[in-house]
Amino acid sequence: MVVKKKTAKVEAVVLEEEKLHKLIASLSIDGGEDGVRQVAHTLQSCLELTEPVQQIQLVKKAGSQLEALTREQSDGVLLDACLHTLALVYTSLQAKNPLRRAIASALGSVPEWLQERTVNSLSACLSDCMSSPSSEQYSHIVDTISACLDGFPLGEWLPLAFLLQFLYKVLSEYLHQNRYGAGRHIAQAQLMQSCLAAVKTSMLVVQRSQDTLSVTLQAKQDHCKLEDTLGSLLGCYIHILTDEEFIQSVQSTAGMAVVLLIRSVMGSGDDVASGLDSAPQWLKQRCEGLCTSGRPPGVSLYLCHGALAMLSWKGALPGPQWEKLLLLVPNTLLDLDVSVKESSTAMVVARVLTLWSGAALDCLQGEARLCPPSLQQSLSGGSELQRHLLEHIYSHWEHPLDGVRHQTRSLFRNLLLLHQHTNPSISDPTKDPYITNLTQNLLGLEWHMRGKYGSLGCLVELYGAGHLLDIQSRLPSCLLGLMGDQTLAPYASDLLERLFVSHKTQLASAAGADAKTEDWMECWHQTWVTPLLHVLCRARLDQTTYILDYFLPKLLRCSPSSLAHMVQALQNTPPCSTGSRGALGALMTCLRAARAQGVIPSTEEGLWGGLVPLSLLQQALIHKHDQVRMDALGLVCESHRSTEVLTSQETNLIRHFLPPNLNSQSPGIRQQTVSLMKKLLCRVKDSTQLLQKKLIQERDEEQRDRDQHTLLQYKEFLRWLSVTLLEVLLPGASFSKCLMSLHLLGLLGQLFTFSTGPDVFALGEVVTSEHAQNVLYCVASNFLEVKQLASVLLRQLPPSAVGLQVPERMCCVLQAALDLSTSTKPFDSVTAAHLLNLLLHQPDLSQALLHCAQNQALDFQPRSPPLQASETLILELNTLAVAQFLLCCLQSEVSKAESSLLQAAASCPLYGRAHCITAVLQHLNTGSLLQTEQWRCLVSDLIAVCYRMSDVVSPVVQSSSPEGLIPMDTDSETSVGLQRILQEIQPRDTNDFFTSARELDTHQGDDHTQTQTSHTPSLDTGGEGYRVTAQMVLVCCWRSMKEVAMLLGQLCQSLPLHYTNDNAHTHTGLITEEQVEGVGLYFRQQLLQSRHRGAFELAYVGFVRLTDMLCRSGSQALQQLPARWLSEVLAEVKSSDPSSKLCATRRSAGIPFYIQALLSSEPKSSSCSLLKMTMRELIALAMPSADRTTDSSTVPQVHALNILRALYRDTRLGENIIPFVSEGMRAAVLGFTSPVWAVRNSSTLLFSTLITRIFGVKKGKDEHSKKNRMTGREFFTRFPALYPFLLSQLEEAAATVESDSGQVKLHPSLFLLLLVLSRLYPSPMDGSSSPLGLAPFMPFIMRCGRSAVYRTREMAARALVPFVLVTQVPSTVCSLVQELPLQPGPKIQHNHIHGTLLQVCSHGNMPAALQREDTKAVLMDGSEQRPSPVALTAREGRRGMEAKRRAMTSVCYTVSVYLLTYPVCASPRCSQVLQTLCVLSSSSELLWTDGVKILSQKDALLHLLTLAQNSAHRSETTHSETLIIKVKHSNNQGASAAACLAQWGALVCSCCSEEQPVEVKLMAAKVLVNCTSTLLTSPYLPLGLSTTASLWRSLFVLLQDEDQEVRDSASDFISNVPARLLSADVAGGSVCPPAALDSGVELLCRLLELWGQVPAGVLALTEWLLGEDGGNDDAVADEASSLDDEDFLFEKGDLNLWAEPVQWVKLLHRHLSALILTRQHAQDPGTAAPEQVRQLHSRARAKALSSQQALDSLPALPQFSCSMEHARLTLRHQRATLALDVLQKLTQTS
């Protein structure tokens, strides 16, 4: 969707009345030339108007008139009045007003002779503005000055000192406001923008006044005043630079301003680069603050930025001092890079370094002789400076910020350019050792490092692809293999594009202009296209998905002619293994990409684009693999032009694709399908508009007829699509099918219309009342997304079809919604809310509400909307009425809950009503409400009832153990004893568990306690029984708290605020400041005292809405609330002790959420002062202290650790939290040394969070994947403070590893340290010298390998790897091996040996080490006494292989004897043994025996079947299938064989039932697939009709299984069916399960004809259609109705995810009807058994009658009240009805 750019608001000229009259009077002066009078008249008319658009037109007219004036018309006061009018209006308008731009254009287009007078008028107006302004006008005046300086040469006419003095005054005021603006985030953000504008404007003034400035400073008079002004201005700049409260953009601009001012004073010579030695005294004094050692580190950064941006570096440098300055900047920046913590500062460092590299390039751009040799040497590749800069690049190219990574790539490119410019004589990269070594190092890096791709791309850009391909010829295949990773695919595809484009250019230039393109293109195809096709055909599906998205379009854009080569190569490709998309899928992928790029068009011929037959497309559209189907659909739907006409073939392909693909369980596939169908429908819409235009303009009758025919095809297709999608929304439809259908119907309603009007595609005519009702019943779905889509679609359908305007229907739906709002099942309240939102648009809703109120005896009188009321007014009044009605109901129910919470939880839980109120208020535009008084009363009542609800339920959720708590009634007989118990188990919100345990009074409370825990209270409420469980009470309470929080948050966020601002101006609203503050205090209490996670987590959501509203409100008092609340809660955390109400268990409960919400409301553009203050205090609390050694004294530390964990996890804090990661890691590691368990537990959680924050979310199953690791250089560069800490901690921990006593001493922090260090990995780019060298860690890590704990030794081995440089691997391995003892001894520790060997093996890729003779000698261990462990392992391995070969036959024989003699070995291992035996028996290598005699295959099979039937694991079925086929071939006759086959068939069928494990069903599917060609489709019917039909039915059951793997496995039977029995679109390929099911039923009907068993087969299939015996259904219904709903509070019923019995029944009926019709045409003489037909007929009639009676007995709208029962009865009735229809047709044909 294209989002239109927001247009500036046009405002009319607003001047003071007196000033306006003066202007009009000045324009009314008589005299002057005619042209001037015209201008004056035009401007006078403009001032008298109030319409801004007309004023713009008149200003443009006046501009044209001014431009036409001649010098002869220049005399007179009237012209000056005109210019003064334009200047005055210009300076009074806001910056973005289009009227101001029109005036600027008019003033800028005046004739040259008039320009001086124009500038004088502007100068006079600006001087008047600056003479006596108020502080509120500063921002506008500064913007005006900036605009005037940009558009007009004002520098000569405005006094420089006066202008700079005004800007100094503005900046001083801003600095003063900043000191007292703490807590007002919005005001601070506006102040920062104003300050930034003022600094930029002052720089603009100085730049535009360079000459005037120099002359004035050199003059003897007036220079003191200018010096004072410049000094004051410089003081403001320096104050901004050194004040860390200013945001970085302001400080960076101030840095540039300082350098600009110094350059303007000192000139551009060598002195300005040498420092302040030669500067004037006043300048030195002002800059003293910049030269102190205590200045913030960012000052150097911003001054470097200013020096690079404001000094000229192009060409020859003015002197040696400039050269020193140029080389000083990068060293300063690199030092800063190690010390700074903020990611935003790292971004500035990266940008300034890139700026420096650009300046260095500018110095080298001129003649080489002008550049000093020393500078060239410093900037060339291999120099120390370049090495340090490369280290910076390698440390930051994986930075979390995109901007840092981008700047790092630009810096790398500039470094290569610097190397090229300093070495112009070396043009061939192969002869440049620096470039060759750099390329090899980069290619040797791990491919998961994203920065590597950009650097290689720079090398390709500057040196060509041939350079990289010469070094690594398999680079294309390597990069294509990375396309399966979504995080790497964009980077790999960009690099691939650079490579193949560059390679093509190089090949073309090398071949020359005379060479044939085919000659060198073959080489290009072999390099790039051949590996691509190999990957497409054989790689995993997820890998090829991103190839289509990222790579193929780029390749085809580079070489469109390569498509023919791809198609030809794929057609010659042999079939591939299962699991990949194969040649067909690869072909679809290539064609789809080509089609989207416009390489191939769609045609009406049999070949798609002249390349492939359409039958191949049909096969791909129902392919088994999801992505093949998506690619085929994309080939149909996507087009290079959105107006390309859809052909009839394309619409037919969509008809072929859609039915079997609506029921996809994969969210990704559903999303792709909807997206592609949207593209297709957009093509229909856009091409329709084009065709309609052509119909108007076209004169050729034949073309007009074709276009008209196309439009008719469109209409027919859209109607078919609408009907198809609406008809699948039946009761019992699967979730995925409902979701897909509703999505597509929503697209139809969005792009076209469901109205019944004259629109060309008015689809409302096909929507019947039954369709609309089915959509309405989708609102009752258990899935929220289905509810939402159905609600949106209902508003698009024709109202006549939906029928909500009918009073009776409206009352029924309203009553259903009100009933659902009091349901004890939580998801029912969501349904109620959607129904109420549907009714809000009905004008007669108030009457229905009145009717319901009368039925409930409520005193409620809603106001009806007036006649002809607008939709907005109807919506407001209906929303008000519904909210008032629900409020009345809620108030009465809260009163009941106050007396009996148990009764409320069982009969009328409060949360449903509150949820409905929140839902109806969400869709209301609260900014334009008319019934303000009623809304104010409603808001007050809502807030009051929310507080009452909270008071009722908060004792439960604030209990120290809310789970299982049942508060009893205050008026019950047992209240005395039970209240005593509640006094014990309900909290007084203390943390006494830290010091002592609370015990219940055992003398009087035992019986009551037992009653409470073992019995369920039963309430007598007017004859209606309630079974109340503790779960129901808890759910009622925490959900009520949730809805209270959501409702209060909604009220505060959406309603306009009533407040008075600083200027005593009152803003009217619906909610007051006092109410908002009261809501905030309520959230504080709930978040700080609730114990139940559901309660405080959802209260947090509401509180976030409140805090967002606070910081954006216009009330100063409300803006300062978050800072005040934050300081209060931190003070409470500091002083918390065991008597505090703050919860120190449950991970501090809601305290972290409370602080999170307060901090996340702070604007990201601010200085984040609250976050910094909070983190400093929390880290200080979290650190261990000498006085915190007891449980009670560590409560604040536990709170601090838990809060820090929440803040580090909060993604909204983003990179602002990174500076505190090092301190958080210190607190977590040191917390492990605490003797208090609570501190250690919280430290564990904090440490885990920090690992995720540092190394990223786990991106794969491999715990140690390099995707979640970083190099040691990068880690310690980003967190330098951790270097000394981890080193000291590791030294301390390593000292405790070995003990002389032999006892295990495990340091608490050792495992954490090794875990962090093991997440690092080495980089080939690591140098030997670094300020954060890794060598000191090595001896301590090696020492940890001696630990007695195995896990510690393993972690130490893994942690050692990143600390060993590549060049030191051989020596390190040798030193480790030499530490191994040469012979056994009493003092040798095996743990030491094992740990050393693990460290040796951890350097798995060590070819250099293994080639050394000394290493080989140590590894082979020349000692004669004992071979080394390595040699021993290899020797034993060789012996083992020989032993396995010799023992194979004897083992198989022994196992077979054991198996058949002892059939009790029914274990999973038995399955593997049987698989081996069956493989051997198939080739007659081994005979079956029971230990006494040799068995025949039939006897062995019977034994296996008995074993399988008695086994809990049915895996033997798979292995018996081979023997079944052998028995069938060897003994096809005889009763014993038939019994054996029947027994096997029954066993297979039992393995396919729904209750079987997935493994068993997969085995059964494999059996049925394998025997498809030999048993199921055999023309001889070897198993008989009954067994064969049962096997087919089992196969169909598996094709409808809920498990995707089972369905896919069963669908493979299609590939084993003879091609003559299948249709063309499924023959020879694998198809998706729905298509396989349809084809399977069709195939079975065809086989019945082939077998001559049509009558018997029809009866058998009619039995399937009718289903099981009806008595069972009744039993199930009786059993279900006897269960109490409250026992299953969270039970949503049968969630239908895949299987759709209704669609299965329809499918059977369709094929049976076709079979009977075929039999009638063929005049088949066979007849069905009359008695069996009569029995089936009577069963079907009885079932139809009973189900219809049951449906009639259900209450009104049963789809909402008892949806599962309604769906079950509907299915039962449809089964019976369709079975009767089949039997009737069968009787007629007989």
Side-chain angles (χ1 to χ4, degrees), residues 60 95 144 156 385 541 825 895 979 1314 1343 1745:
K60 290 180 178 179
T144 306
E156 302 174 5
L385 178 58
L541 288 173
K825 295 182 178 179
S895 301
Q979 284 300 315
L1314 293 177
R1343 185 179 180 86
L1745 184 60

mmCIF file of all heavy atoms in Angstrom, residues 60 95 144 156 385 541 825 895 979 1314 1343 1745:
data_model
loop_
_atom_site.group_PDB
_atom_site.id
_atom_site.type_symbol
_atom_site.label_atom_id
_atom_site.label_comp_id
_atom_site.label_asym_id
_atom_site.label_seq_id
_atom_site.Cartn_x
_atom_site.Cartn_y
_atom_site.Cartn_z
ATOM 1 N N LYS A 60 0.395 34.678 -5.633
ATOM 2 C CA LYS A 60 1.053 34.317 -6.895
ATOM 3 C C LYS A 60 0.762 35.357 -7.978
ATOM 4 O O LYS A 60 1.658 35.720 -8.770
ATOM 5 C CB LYS A 60 0.574 32.943 -7.350
ATOM 6 C CG LYS A 60 1.081 31.792 -6.478
ATOM 7 C CD LYS A 60 0.568 30.453 -6.989
ATOM 8 C CE LYS A 60 1.109 29.300 -6.147
ATOM 9 N NZ LYS A 60 0.604 27.985 -6.620
ATOM 10 N N ALA A 95 6.875 28.188 9.331
ATOM 11 C CA ALA A 95 7.854 27.783 8.320
ATOM 12 C C ALA A 95 7.254 26.894 7.243
ATOM 13 O O ALA A 95 7.582 27.036 6.062
ATOM 14 C CB ALA A 95 9.027 27.078 8.997
ATOM 15 N N THR A 144 12.601 32.040 10.765
ATOM 16 C CA THR A 144 12.456 33.088 9.758
ATOM 17 C C THR A 144 13.810 33.632 9.326
ATOM 18 O O THR A 144 14.059 33.854 8.134
ATOM 19 C CB THR A 144 11.580 34.226 10.312
ATOM 20 O OG1 THR A 144 10.335 33.680 10.770
ATOM 21 C CG2 THR A 144 11.312 35.269 9.254
ATOM 22 N N GLU A 156 24.409 41.673 3.991
ATOM 23 C CA GLU A 156 24.944 43.016 3.813
ATOM 24 C C GLU A 156 24.057 44.068 4.463
ATOM 25 O O GLU A 156 24.499 45.197 4.676
ATOM 26 C CB GLU A 156 25.081 43.310 2.317
ATOM 27 C CG GLU A 156 25.975 42.318 1.585
ATOM 28 C CD GLU A 156 25.959 42.574 0.081
ATOM 29 O OE1 GLU A 156 25.335 43.564 -0.328
ATOM 30 O OE2 GLU A 156 26.564 41.774 -0.661
ATOM 31 N N LEU A 385 48.461 2.785 10.844
ATOM 32 C CA LEU A 385 47.150 3.429 10.915
ATOM 33 C C LEU A 385 46.094 2.578 10.215
ATOM 34 O O LEU A 385 44.990 2.354 10.750
ATOM 35 C CB LEU A 385 47.223 4.818 10.285
ATOM 36 C CG LEU A 385 45.902 5.603 10.237
ATOM 37 C CD1 LEU A 385 45.335 5.786 11.629
ATOM 38 C CD2 LEU A 385 46.110 6.943 9.555
ATOM 39 N N LEU A 541 13.939 -27.115 1.024
ATOM 40 C CA LEU A 541 12.949 -26.165 0.512
ATOM 41 C C LEU A 541 13.138 -24.778 1.102
ATOM 42 O O LEU A 541 12.981 -23.769 0.414
ATOM 43 C CB LEU A 541 11.551 -26.685 0.823
ATOM 44 C CG LEU A 541 11.107 -27.900 0.001
ATOM 45 C CD1 LEU A 541 9.788 -28.426 0.507
ATOM 46 C CD2 LEU A 541 11.004 -27.541 -1.456
ATOM 47 N N LYS A 825 -16.603 -19.054 30.603
ATOM 48 C CA LYS A 825 -15.518 -19.374 29.689
ATOM 49 C C LYS A 825 -14.962 -18.064 29.132
ATOM 50 O O LYS A 825 -15.686 -17.299 28.500
ATOM 51 C CB LYS A 825 -16.012 -20.268 28.560
ATOM 52 C CG LYS A 825 -16.464 -21.639 29.061
ATOM 53 C CD LYS A 825 -16.905 -22.534 27.925
ATOM 54 C CE LYS A 825 -17.313 -23.906 28.448
ATOM 55 N NZ LYS A 825 -17.763 -24.812 27.376
ATOM 56 N N SER A 895 -22.031 -5.706 43.106
ATOM 57 C CA SER A 895 -22.687 -5.763 44.415
ATOM 58 C C SER A 895 -22.845 -7.201 44.877
ATOM 59 O O SER A 895 -22.638 -7.522 46.061
ATOM 60 C CB SER A 895 -24.044 -5.063 44.341
ATOM 61 O OG SER A 895 -23.903 -3.715 43.959
ATOM 62 N N GLN A 979 -12.736 -17.628 58.154
ATOM 63 C CA GLN A 979 -12.104 -16.313 58.130
ATOM 64 C C GLN A 979 -10.778 -16.332 58.875
ATOM 65 O O GLN A 979 -9.834 -15.643 58.508
ATOM 66 C CB GLN A 979 -13.029 -15.251 58.750
ATOM 67 C CG GLN A 979 -14.176 -14.831 57.850
ATOM 68 C CD GLN A 979 -13.673 -14.248 56.547
ATOM 69 O OE1 GLN A 979 -12.771 -13.445 56.521
ATOM 70 N NE2 GLN A 979 -14.278 -14.683 55.439
ATOM 71 N N LEU A 1314 33.349 -19.437 32.259
ATOM 72 C CA LEU A 1314 33.656 -20.278 31.109
ATOM 73 C C LEU A 1314 32.546 -20.214 30.064
ATOM 74 O O LEU A 1314 32.804 -20.305 28.860
ATOM 75 C CB LEU A 1314 33.873 -21.717 31.569
ATOM 76 C CG LEU A 1314 35.119 -21.945 32.422
ATOM 77 C CD1 LEU A 1314 35.187 -23.389 32.886
ATOM 78 C CD2 LEU A 1314 36.385 -21.577 31.667
ATOM 79 N N ARG A 1343 44.215 -24.194 33.080
ATOM 80 C CA ARG A 1343 44.185 -24.748 34.437
ATOM 81 C C ARG A 1343 42.794 -25.267 34.783
ATOM 82 O O ARG A 1343 42.647 -26.278 35.465
ATOM 83 C CB ARG A 1343 44.616 -23.670 35.433
ATOM 84 C CG ARG A 1343 44.745 -24.170 36.859
ATOM 85 C CD ARG A 1343 45.209 -23.062 37.781
ATOM 86 N NE ARG A 1343 45.334 -23.531 39.131
ATOM 87 C CZ ARG A 1343 46.422 -24.133 39.636
ATOM 88 N NH1 ARG A 1343 47.474 -24.307 38.852
ATOM 89 N NH2 ARG A 1343 46.458 -24.537 40.878
ATOM 90 N N LEU A 1745 -34.042 -38.154 11.042
ATOM 91 C CA LEU A 1745 -35.153 -37.691 11.861
ATOM 92 C C LEU A 1745 -34.685 -37.298 13.259
ATOM 93 O O LEU A 1745 -35.048 -36.232 13.774
ATOM 94 C CB LEU A 1745 -36.221 -38.800 11.939
ATOM 95 C CG LEU A 1745 -37.512 -38.442 12.691
ATOM 96 C CD1 LEU A 1745 -38.207 -37.249 12.020
ATOM 97 C CD2 LEU A 1745 -38.445 -39.642 12.740
#
